[in-house]
Amino acid sequence: MLIVSKFRAWVGILLCIIASFCPMLKVPIKGNWNLYQSDARLFLITYAIIALAVLCLFIRKVGAFRFISFVMAIWYVLAVIAVYFTAHNYTKYGFANKLIGKVVHFQWGWIVFLVGVLFMLFSVKRGEKLSA
C-alpha cells in the first residue's frame, strides 16, 4: 500500500511552481531568464505535469501521483538538457555557438526546481496495510 506525505507533496508542487518564475539562465545584456523566457514549450509542459500532480492529489490516486512524480523527474532532466543544448546550439555558426555557450550560465532556479521534484518523489512511500 502506498502512503503519501501530503505536506511533502504540496511543498514539492509549490517549489516547482515557484521555480518556473525563478531565474533559470543568465543571458548577457538581456539579464536573467525564467523558464518561460528560455523556452515557452518547456514552461507549458511543466505546468501541465504539475496540474496532473495536483489533480492526482485531489482525487487521492497515490499510485498516479507517484507515476507523475517520476515523469516530473524525467522531465526535469530533459529540460536541463534541452536548455543546455539550446544555449550551445543557438545559431548555425560554430564560433557564435561557442561564444554564446560560454556567456550563458545556469542560475539558481534549477536548484529550486530540483528540490521541488525531489520533494515530490520522496513524498510517496510504501507502507504496511492495517488489518482490522
Side-chain angles (χ1 to χ4, degrees):
M1 181 173 162
L2 296 174
I3 299 171
V4 65
S5 169
K6 289 184 182 179
F7 178 75
R8 285 186 198 154
W10 285 112
V11 168
I13 288 171
L14 185 65
L15 284 174
C16 287
I17 291 170
I18 291 170
S20 298
F21 296 105
C22 293
M24 295 288 197
L25 291 175
K26 183 176 182 177
V27 180
I29 301 171
K30 293 192 176 192
N32 292 329
W33 284 4
N34 59 21
L35 191 59
Y36 180 75
Q37 291 168 322
S38 61
D39 193 346
R41 290 174 294 191
L42 291 177
F43 178 81
L44 294 174
I45 293 171
T46 301
Y47 268 87
I49 295 171
I50 291 171
L52 285 173
V54 168
L55 179 67
C56 290
L57 276 179
F58 273 126
I59 62 174
R60 297 181 182 170
K61 296 290 184 185
V62 180
F65 179 78
R66 184 179 191 191
F67 176 73
I68 294 296
S69 297
F70 283 118
V71 169
M72 188 64 145
I74 293 168
W75 181 249
Y76 172 81
V77 172
L78 290 176
V80 169
I81 292 170
V83 170
Y84 176 81
F85 282 118
T86 300
H88 286 78
N89 295 319
Y90 196 71
T91 65
K92 59 182 177 180
Y93 305 109
F95 174 74
N97 285 337
K98 289 179 185 176
L99 184 65
I100 291 171
K102 289 180 182 178
V103 296
V104 174
H105 301 288
F106 284 85
Q107 291 289 81
W108 55 272
W110 291 105
I111 296 171
V112 176
F113 195 20
L114 176 64
V115 171
V117 169
L118 291 176
F119 264 96
M120 286 176 64
L121 275 175
F122 294 117
S123 66
V124 179
K125 65 178 182 177
R126 192 168 300 278
E128 293 181 17
K129 199 174 202 178
L130 298 174
S131 59

